[in-house]
Amino acid sequence: EQLSRGTMEQVYFALRMAVGDVLCSRETLPVILDDVFVMYDEKRLMETLHWLIGHKQQILLFTCHKREEEILNTYGMPFHRVNVFDP
């Protein structure tokens, strides 16, 4: 009750990433994320995206939001966008 939903989501994300590192230490596997940053504020999202890019793994980020792309573009972080559905 004392933590915001965004903080709890960030702790859960950090835990999942740490477990993935421990369990997959011999071989680098892609990270698949599906709208996991919905509750993140802008600063938290920017820092997490920056960390992910520095993590040197293939990251598949599925989202219906534009925030992630806007932040990646704003800070010049490399990414490749694939449109599944054309609006």
Side-chain angles (χ1 to χ4, degrees):
E1 294 178 11
Q2 296 179 6
L3 300 175
S4 71
R5 178 70 189 252
T7 301
M8 290 187 307
E9 292 290 329
Q10 191 171 24
V11 169
Y12 180 56
F13 176 76
L15 179 63
R16 288 187 302 172
M17 295 303 294
V19 168
D21 283 348
V22 170
L23 295 177
C24 303
S25 61
R26 293 184 183 199
E27 186 175 345
T28 303
L29 298 174
V31 176
I32 301 172
L33 305 170
D34 187 10
D35 260 341
V36 296
F37 306 128
V38 174
M39 300 304 294
Y40 283 31
D41 59 34
E42 299 298 316
K43 183 177 187 288
R44 186 174 300 170
L45 177 58
M46 186 273 301
E47 290 173 353
T48 303
L49 291 173
H50 185 66
W51 179 84
L52 279 169
I53 287 172
H55 204 60
K56 303 297 184 207
Q57 284 180 278
Q58 180 182 24
I59 300 158
L60 303 173
L61 174 60
F62 297 92
T63 185
C64 61
H65 303 279
K66 296 189 183 290
R67 289 185 329 150
E68 289 83 350
E69 182 178 4
E70 291 169 358
I71 289 173
L72 292 167
N73 281 324
T74 299
Y75 292 96
M77 298 178 198
F79 71 98
H80 180 73
R81 180 178 185 219
V82 175
N83 282 335
V84 177
F85 301 105
D86 286 324

